[in-house]
């Protein structure tokens, strides 16, 4: 039996630090009350490399490793939730290997990259999301608490980067895909069928792109989406809408599109059935989106 691989996505946050009692003034990200954010983050990872419970909840975090470079830190983490009993089953043999109780947490591995540019007023966090993790904010919440415990005189702020902000880093849309998940008996002939869904794809001519404003149209108006792809508007099952964007640097990136461009950005790292990215590939994806955002987000100082 082939290995199973779950879909992994990327959530992106902007982090900044306000000067106490001056909410409209910010520290440079490399001089937060005398501290560089990467130095503080590296110290956080080394000092807190133990099982951490978040806010007395069922969420748990364990930082396993950290690598620091001049412009970023990459942390390997495990996170998960307790509170639900279950068992681990060998999918090849249908044999139950062992069970676990409500006081045990199913921990899954993921990565967290923190980038900063000297002189900017913010850092950008790239957070790998995997099924059954403890959520996109678990590392940020623990890092904020560490800042407070170290008595660094700064107010920790964060916001998730929105889709409309990220679109500024691209020059056009390469293709638009709608995946409609249906029962096998409902599938029609002549369509591209992959695993458990039917895929409808619209592509432009070679070296031509759909304009970026179409992303807003198809996100907010279902009629625009179905008209572009020539598919029925009504569908009673689950549906994913994805767009592949062409960057100014020549790279292609795929995003899972929400129904409002003001909602958080979600980039697909690997689809279901595809192997997860290596650390080098993950950092390459992160640096691409970070460099684009750094040019389009305000410097904040």
């Amino acid at each position: 039996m082939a290995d199973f691989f779950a879909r992994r996505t990327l959530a992106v946050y902007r982090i900044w630090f306000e000067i106490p009692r001056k909410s409209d003034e910010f520290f440079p990200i490399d001089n937060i009350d005398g501290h560089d954010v990467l130095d503080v983050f590296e110290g956080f990872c080394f000092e807190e490399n133990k099982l951490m419970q978040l806010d007395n909840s069922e969420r748990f975090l364990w930082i396993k490793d950290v690598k620091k470079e001049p412009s970023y830190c990459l942390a390997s983490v495990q996170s998960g939730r307790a509170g639900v009993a279950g068992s681990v089953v060998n999918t090849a043999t249908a044999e139950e290997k062992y069970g676990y109780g409500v006081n045990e947490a199913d921990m899954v591995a993921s990565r967290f990259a923190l980038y900063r540019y000297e002189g900017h007023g913010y850092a950008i966090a790239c957070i790998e999301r995997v099924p059954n993790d403890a959520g996109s904010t678990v590392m940020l919440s623990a890092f904020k608490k560490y800042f407070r415990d170290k008595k660094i005189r700064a107010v920790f702020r964060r916001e998730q980067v929105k889709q409309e902000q990220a679109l500024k880093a691209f020059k056009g849309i390469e293709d638009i895909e709608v995946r409609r998940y249906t029962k096998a008996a409902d599938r029609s002939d002549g369509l591209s069928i992959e695993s458990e869904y039917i895929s409808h794809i619209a592509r432009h001519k070679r070296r031509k792109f759909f304009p970026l404003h179409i992303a807003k149209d198809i996100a907010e108006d279902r009629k625009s989406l179905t008209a572009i792809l020539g598919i029925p508007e009504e569908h009673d099952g689950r549906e994913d809408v994805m767009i592949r964007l062409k960057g100014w640097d020549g790279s292609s990136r795929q995003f899972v599109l929400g129904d409002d461009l003001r909602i958080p950005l979600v980039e697909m790292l690997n689809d279901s059935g595809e192997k997860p990215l290596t650390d080098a590939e993950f950092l390459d994806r992160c640096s691409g989106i970070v460099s684009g955002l750094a040019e389009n987000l305000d410097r904040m100082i």
Side-chain angles (χ1 to χ4, degrees), residues 19 84 155 165-166 174 190 209 240 276 284:
I19 297 174
V84 178
V155 182
Q165 294 170 311
E174 288 187 307
F209 308 105
D240 281 343
D284 184 61

Side-chain angles (χ1 to χ4, degrees), residues 156-211:
F156 188 113
R157 300 294 189 194
R158 73 185 188 212
E159 68 174 3
Q160 194 163 1
V161 174
K162 307 301 189 294
Q163 292 176 155
E164 59 186 352
Q165 294 170 311
L167 285 175
K168 296 176 183 178
F170 299 91
K171 61 181 178 180
I173 301 171
E174 288 187 307
D175 62 55
I176 303 164
E177 179 181 4
V178 173
R179 294 181 182 179
R180 287 184 165 177
Y181 296 81
T182 62
K183 297 178 182 178
D186 295 333
R187 290 172 174 159
S188 303
D189 293 334
L191 294 174
S192 172
I193 300 175
E194 297 178 16
S195 185
E196 76 281 18
Y197 58 81
I198 300 174
S199 177
H200 307 266
I201 302 175
R203 290 193 179 96
H204 214 298
K205 295 178 181 179
R206 189 177 179 184
R207 291 190 290 272
K208 299 289 185 180
F209 308 105
F210 296 107

Side-chain angles (χ1 to χ4, degrees), residues 14 22 36 95 111 121 139-140 216-217 248 253 262 297:
R14 174 163 62 169
K22 297 180 180 180
D36 187 307
E95 176 186 359
R111 290 164 288 197
M139 273 286 280
L140 295 174
K216 178 177 175 63
D217 295 340
W248 294 104
R253 309 174 76 91
R262 293 168 295 181
L297 296 175

Side-chain angles (χ1 to χ4, degrees), residues 234-254:
E234 297 301 322
H235 176 63
D236 59 1
R238 177 186 155 203
E239 180 178 271
D240 281 343
V241 180
M242 290 171 284
I243 58 174
R244 189 179 304 277
L245 302 176
K246 192 71 169 182
W248 294 104
D249 61 355
S251 64
S252 295
R253 309 174 76 91
Q254 190 171 35

Side-chain angles (χ1 to χ4, degrees), residues 8 24 40 47 53-54 56 63 70 81 90 99 121 139 149 152 156 163 187 197 204 213 218 235 242 278 283 287 296:
R8 292 172 180 244
D24 58 344
V40 181
E47 293 181 31
Q53 183 181 11
L54 275 298
N56 295 315
I63 301 171
R81 299 173 186 267
N90 185 319
M139 273 286 280
D149 291 345
I152 298 174
F156 188 113
Q163 292 176 155
R187 290 172 174 159
Y197 58 81
H204 214 298
H213 70 76
I218 64 177
H235 176 63
M242 290 171 284
T278 64
L283 288 169
S287 62
N296 290 289

